[in-house]
Amino acid sequence: MLNSFRARLILVFFIVLTLVQFATAFSVLTATQRDNFLQQQKSLDIGANVFLEVLSNRGIQLSQSLSVLSADFGFKRAIATGEQETIESVLSNHGSRIGADAVVLLSPKGALLTSSIPGLDQEDIQSLFDMTTSSMAILNFDHVSYQFVLQPVKAPTLIAWVGMGFVLDEKVAQQAKAITGIDVSFVNQDTGRTEIASTLSDDEKLSVLTQASLLPNLLTIPSEMIPVDHLTMALKLYDRNGSQLALLHQSNLKWQQSYQQLRNNMLLIFAITLTLAIVIAIWLSGSLMAPVHQLVTYARKIGQGVVPNKIQGAPAELEVLASSLSLMREDIEAREKDLVYQSRHDSLTGLLNRFAAKQCLAELGQGLSGVMVLLDIKHFRHINDIIGFANADNLLILFARRLEQLAPTPDLLARLDGDSFLLLYSQGIHPEHLLKSLDMLEAPFPVQGSNISLTVRAGLLVIDGNGTDVDVLVRRAEIALNQACLEELRVVSYRQGDDEKYQRELTLIRDLPIGLAQNQLYLVFQPKVDLHLNQCTGAEALIRWQHPTLGFIPPDEFIQLAENSGNIDIVSQWVLTQAIKQLVIWQQQGLVLKLAINLSAHDLVDTRLPNQIASLLKDNNLPSGALCIEVTEGAVMKDAQTVVGVLQRFRDIGVSVAIDDFGTGQSSLAYLKILPVNEVKIDRSFIKDMLTDCQDVMIVNTSIQLIHGLGFTVVAEGVEEAEGVDILRHLGCDMVQGYVFSKPLRVADFDLWFEAFNYPKTTEA
């Protein structure tokens, strides 16, 4: 529901208006409440002033009446002569005449002479006498507050003090309320008791009494809760006695009624305004959504490929948007056509690409027949490096145009990738015609004023009998093309069984990392015997693979695949790790052997490898001379400058370097003099026929003399007969490796052989 524009518009109207109304109401009501409080407090302050004025006037009236009494000659004479009855009669009559509740007569020194209040003690008398210093005071007696006025009686000297007072009771409070308009309470909190005389109701009096401990706080801060619905402040009735308080209560009912009426009015206005706003929002959203719905329908038709009618009666902005959508539809259609073309054609040559070629072949289905030819330009990457990318691209364009001119014309022509092209001849093609086509394609191409000749290889697949699976057909054509490149032939046809070999290679490439992780691969060790000592002083580590389903995999097979697939580095790292572990074990057993491992051309261009091997030897407390690196001449020839630097680094850290298969390379003597090696291994092809071929003996003898002349150790590999060992010893060969002593052995068998060969007497014992 809230996903629709209309609902969101209404919701926004509702939220915004609610927030505005809430903020307005909060501001107005808060200001009103604050103003009401200020007015109430001001009214209470005025009432307090009036109340104080009322008390003051009562004191003045009492003082004036008392002045008449103190000036009466007969009263003075009665005091002077000590006529007690006359004094009491005069005081009683005068007190009754002015409505006094209490009269007292004190001696000049403060002794009580006469009192209408029974039970006054000396403390109370002293309180009365202290009033001589002020015109009016509040006397607390028996939890009753009296407003007293005390005046001297002189004849002419001071002969007495006469005082009269009024009780501050509910009657006085009612009189004060009649004048001030506010409720008045007289509170007496002397000796822990609280007495109250008030104009409040009984419940309100009870509320005041229950909060009696808070009453002194009202002297500084008025309260709205003592009692409820009243603003109450406290006044001291007498500065010398803080337990006598007058509470002034200003009712706030009229202010509350005004506040509640304002609040109710605002709620009513709020409800009316909100209702009106929702109605307007619904109407407005409806008027806006109608054109939007038209635009949605318009856009949906465009999406369906239908040309919609022009929107009528919509706002100008929406009509512009509709026109823009129409233009967008036209642009999309144009781009779609362009994208479809680009998705099916090679951007450089304009021929069909791999995707389109496979799609076309798949569409033929059972009708697919004839011959599929896959072409590849030999060493095109090398050509690309020589003439540059731009010229190489022009060359490919010229090559594609020439493909289009072939006779017979292919039924399908596509560029699968870089320099690979697919041709389909539905009716087949005669071998002579295919060779003529290759001749035409290999004719020189003019590029930037130079003639570039190409060598083209072709893989041919007869579709009949190979099914109709396009991926299988293309893969088999690629297998034939790869075979043509490997065998340096112009045309090679797919042969039954090639696919199985291809699948086997894919399986081995895929399973090699898994086999390393699952210990399917293992090392065997072939002894290397020192002919001078007639002792085994070293061994060569060789890798073996027992595949769980394919059985034993020859090392030459999976090593070559590892190099071609880029996995040779993980194989070399595994061999290096296993060799180091075995050297550690032999060291712990007290065997001093030099172990040789083979590195590939890929390993020899890694400049970090020497430091890595040095760290491994150091971490395992192995001497650097415990390891020997064997490399072939072919590996050195890949990148001679880099490889020589890496081998020199091995020599520097003390690791021996051996050249394997000496005599089979193309530049053995030229590079042997500059290679930083320790030993040279003569290839088995020169060793195996020494007993029957004098020329091989001459070659071996010359090689040994040459190698010794360069200061290297000579190792003969592939020795199988004892007579061959005697010949090599006679020729001065240093070490021998071959089946004459032992085939490659697993580590347990090697240990037993080593013990039996090096220590025959110990073994016999």
Side-chain angles (χ1 to χ4, degrees):
M1 178 64 182
L2 292 179
N3 290 331
S4 67
F5 174 75
R6 185 176 188 181
R8 291 182 179 181
L9 183 62
I10 295 173
L11 182 62
V12 168
F13 264 75
F14 178 81
I15 292 175
V16 171
L17 187 59
T18 300
L19 291 176
V20 171
Q21 293 280 22
F22 177 79
T24 302
F26 179 79
S27 177
V28 171
L29 293 177
T30 301
T32 301
Q33 192 173 30
R34 183 174 61 253
D35 185 62
N36 287 345
F37 179 80
L38 293 176
Q39 291 183 16
Q40 187 178 1
Q41 190 173 21
K42 184 177 180 181
S43 176
L44 187 61
D45 290 340
I46 294 173
N49 293 333
V50 174
F51 171 75
L52 293 175
E53 187 67 24
V54 169
L55 287 183
S56 177
N57 290 337
R58 284 176 57 86
I60 293 172
Q61 293 175 2
L62 188 60
S63 178
Q64 290 175 350
S65 299
L66 197 58
S67 297
V68 175
L69 177 60
S70 62
D72 184 84
F73 178 78
F75 180 63
K76 292 180 181 181
R77 186 179 60 182
I79 294 173
T81 58
E83 298 176 6
Q84 187 66 25
E85 292 182 1
T86 303
I87 294 172
E88 291 178 357
S89 175
V90 172
L91 290 175
S92 176
N93 291 334
H94 195 78
S96 298
R97 189 167 51 250
I98 65 174
D101 296 308
V103 291
V104 294
L105 183 66
L106 302 178
S107 68
K109 294 183 178 181
L112 180 63
L113 299 178
T114 300
S115 172
S116 64
I117 304 175
L120 285 178
D121 56 20
Q122 186 59 41
E123 182 179 353
D124 296 328
I125 295 171
Q126 185 61 41
S127 297
L128 283 173
F129 190 70
D130 290 341
M131 295 179 189
T132 57
T133 60
S134 61
S135 60
M136 183 182 68
I138 303 298
L139 173 65
N140 173 36
F141 177 73
D142 195 20
H143 292 282
V144 177
S145 299
Y146 294 87
Q147 183 182 5
F148 257 93
V149 174
L150 200 64
Q151 287 192 0
V153 180
K154 297 180 180 180
T157 60
L158 178 65
I159 60 174
W161 290 91
V162 63
M164 291 188 178
F166 297 90
V167 176
L168 297 178
D169 55 7
E170 185 174 340
K171 178 180 178 182
V172 177
Q174 290 290 352
Q175 293 174 352
K177 178 180 179 181
I179 298 173
T180 61
I182 58 177
D183 287 297
V184 178
S185 298
F186 295 111
V187 177
N188 189 323
Q189 291 183 307
D190 187 48
T191 64
R193 285 177 53 189
T194 301
E195 299 289 342
I196 184 171
S198 176
T199 60
L200 296 173
S201 66
D202 293 339
D203 291 337
E204 291 169 343
K205 290 179 184 178
L206 181 61
S207 175
V208 173
L209 290 174
T210 56
Q211 303 180 73
S213 61
L214 303 178
L215 296 182
N217 297 334
L218 302 183
L219 292 170
T220 55
I221 302 175
S223 172
E224 293 183 289
M225 301 302 296
I226 307 175
V228 178
D229 297 332
H230 288 77
L231 181 64
T232 301
M233 66 180 299
L235 298 174
K236 280 186 179 181
L237 291 175
Y238 187 40
D239 291 339
R240 298 183 183 182
N241 189 348
S243 63
Q244 313 298 313
L245 300 176
L247 303 182
L248 306 180
H249 313 281
Q250 174 68 61
S251 175
N252 57 13
L253 290 178
K254 64 177 181 179
W255 283 281
Q256 286 184 356
Q257 291 174 355
S258 174
Y259 175 81
Q260 291 173 355
Q261 183 178 4
L262 176 62
R263 183 188 61 189
N264 294 337
N265 290 338
M266 292 195 71
L267 288 175
L268 179 61
I269 294 172
F270 173 74
I272 294 173
T273 305
L274 189 60
T275 303
L276 182 62
I278 293 176
V279 171
I280 294 174
I282 294 174
W283 172 80
L284 181 61
S285 62
S287 63
L288 288 176
M289 288 306 299
V292 172
H293 283 305
Q294 292 181 0
L295 187 61
V296 170
T297 303
Y298 188 89
R300 186 178 293 114
K301 289 182 178 180
I302 288 178
Q304 295 170 351
V306 179
V307 180
N309 297 324
K310 185 177 180 181
I311 295 178
Q312 301 292 335
E317 293 83 356
L318 294 183
E319 290 185 1
V320 171
L321 183 56
S323 300
S324 299
L325 288 175
S326 297
L327 293 175
M328 183 180 69
R329 176 183 61 81
E330 296 173 0
D331 292 340
I332 290 174
E333 289 178 352
R335 282 198 299 273
E336 283 181 349
K337 293 179 180 179
D338 184 56
L339 289 173
V340 169
Y341 179 85
Q342 292 182 11
S343 67
R344 294 178 55 83
H345 291 78
D346 176 54
S347 60
L348 179 64
T349 63
L351 302 179
L352 293 177
N353 57 22
R354 178 183 288 268
F355 169 78
K358 287 187 175 182
Q359 190 177 45
C360 291
L361 294 174
E363 290 173 355
L364 292 174
Q366 296 298 326
L368 181 60
S369 62
V371 174
M372 182 182 295
V373 180
L374 201 60
L375 302 180
D376 177 79
I377 302 174
K378 184 178 180 182
H379 299 316
F380 183 76
R381 181 174 297 178
H382 182 62
I383 297 172
N384 194 34
D385 294 338
I386 294 175
I387 66 176
F389 290 103
N391 291 329
D393 288 345
N394 291 333
L395 181 59
L396 287 175
I397 294 172
L398 294 175
F399 187 81
R401 300 292 80 81
R402 193 171 289 183
L403 285 172
E404 294 172 339
Q405 298 170 7
L406 292 177
T409 303
D411 297 286
L412 177 68
L413 179 58
R415 182 191 180 196
L416 299 187
D417 50 43
D419 58 342
S420 179
F421 296 85
L422 175 67
L423 291 75
L424 175 66
Y425 294 94
S426 300
Q427 302 302 321
I429 184 172
H430 195 276
E432 292 183 1
H433 292 160
L434 180 57
L435 291 175
K436 288 182 179 180
S437 297
L438 294 180
D439 292 337
M440 177 182 175
L441 294 173
E442 291 179 346
F445 291 88
V447 177
Q448 292 292 320
S450 300
N451 290 328
I452 306 296
S453 297
L454 302 177
T455 300
V456 181
R457 297 287 181 260
L460 188 143
L461 173 69
V462 178
I463 296 175
D464 299 333
N466 283 286
T468 58
D469 189 310
V470 174
D471 290 329
V472 172
L473 294 175
V474 173
R475 185 181 70 242
R476 290 179 175 177
E478 289 176 340
I479 292 172
L481 178 60
N482 290 337
Q483 197 64 33
C485 295
L486 292 174
E487 297 178 6
E488 294 293 333
L489 299 174
R490 298 187 75 187
V491 180
V492 171
S493 297
Y494 173 78
R495 296 170 296 226
Q496 292 297 327
D498 288 348
D499 201 24
E500 288 75 10
K501 179 183 177 183
Y502 177 76
Q503 291 295 340
R504 175 183 171 88
E505 291 176 349
L506 288 181
T507 301
L508 293 178
I509 292 172
R510 180 198 64 199
D511 292 350
L512 181 56
I514 300 174
L516 290 171
Q518 296 180 353
N519 295 321
Q520 297 173 14
L521 288 88
Y522 58 91
L523 290 182
V524 294
F525 304 90
Q526 187 170 34
K528 296 171 71 173
V529 177
D530 189 324
L531 293 181
H532 303 300
L533 302 175
N534 198 33
Q535 294 282 309
C536 176
T537 59
E540 180 179 1
L542 302 171
I543 190 170
R544 298 291 184 263
W545 186 4
Q546 187 67 33
H547 195 279
T549 57
L550 300 179
F552 179 76
I553 311 298
D556 292 343
E557 181 179 4
F558 71 82
I559 290 296
Q560 183 66 35
L561 291 175
E563 290 181 343
N564 294 336
S565 63
N567 287 331
I568 191 62
D569 54 341
I570 62 173
V571 175
S572 299
Q573 289 294 324
W574 183 87
V575 170
L576 178 61
T577 301
Q578 297 301 317
I580 294 293
K581 289 181 179 178
Q582 188 57 49
L583 281 171
V584 171
I585 294 173
W586 281 338
Q587 185 185 57
Q588 293 171 351
Q589 294 174 351
L591 300 182
V592 180
L593 291 171
K594 177 181 289 188
L595 185 61
I597 62 173
N598 294 277
L599 294 183
S600 68
H602 177 80
D603 300 319
L604 293 176
V605 295
D606 185 358
T607 57
R608 299 169 299 178
L609 186 59
N611 290 335
Q612 179 189 354
I613 292 178
S615 297
L616 283 173
L617 293 171
K618 181 179 179 181
D619 293 342
N620 290 277
N621 296 318
L622 292 173
S624 56
L627 194 66
C628 178
I629 303 298
E630 291 193 4
V631 297
T632 63
E633 295 177 67
V636 175
M637 294 294 294
K638 294 291 184 180
D639 187 352
Q641 183 176 359
T642 303
V643 171
V644 169
V646 172
L647 295 180
Q648 184 61 53
R649 179 61 183 148
F650 279 126
R651 281 284 301 271
D652 294 341
I653 63 176
V655 174
S656 299
V657 178
I659 293 294
D660 199 7
D661 300 335
F662 176 75
T664 61
Q666 300 177 352
S667 305
S668 303
L669 298 178
Y671 277 92
L672 189 59
K673 64 181 180 179
I674 65 171
L675 292 177
V677 300
N678 301 90
E679 66 181 50
V680 178
K681 300 179 72 173
I682 300 177
D683 187 68
R684 68 182 66 242
S685 62
F686 301 107
I687 302 297
K688 65 179 181 178
D689 296 328
M690 284 193 308
L691 298 179
T692 58
D693 192 336
C694 295
Q695 290 184 346
D696 282 349
V697 176
M698 184 183 302
I699 292 173
V700 172
N701 182 42
T702 303
S703 298
I704 292 174
Q705 299 304 318
L706 173 63
I707 296 169
H708 279 164
L710 294 173
F712 306 145
T713 301
V714 180
V715 180
E717 58 180 351
V719 182
E720 299 181 0
E721 294 87 6
E723 292 83 354
V725 175
D726 294 335
I727 294 174
L728 291 169
R729 182 180 288 111
H730 176 72
L731 295 177
C733 184
D734 301 304
M735 302 188 73
V736 169
Q737 173 181 349
Y739 278 27
V740 65
F741 293 116
S742 174
K743 65 179 181 179
L745 302 170
R746 290 211 179 196
V747 63
D749 296 330
F750 179 87
D751 290 344
L752 293 175
W753 178 92
F754 179 86
E755 186 71 20
F757 184 83
N758 278 21
Y759 310 106
K761 295 180 181 180
T762 305
T763 304
E764 291 175 1

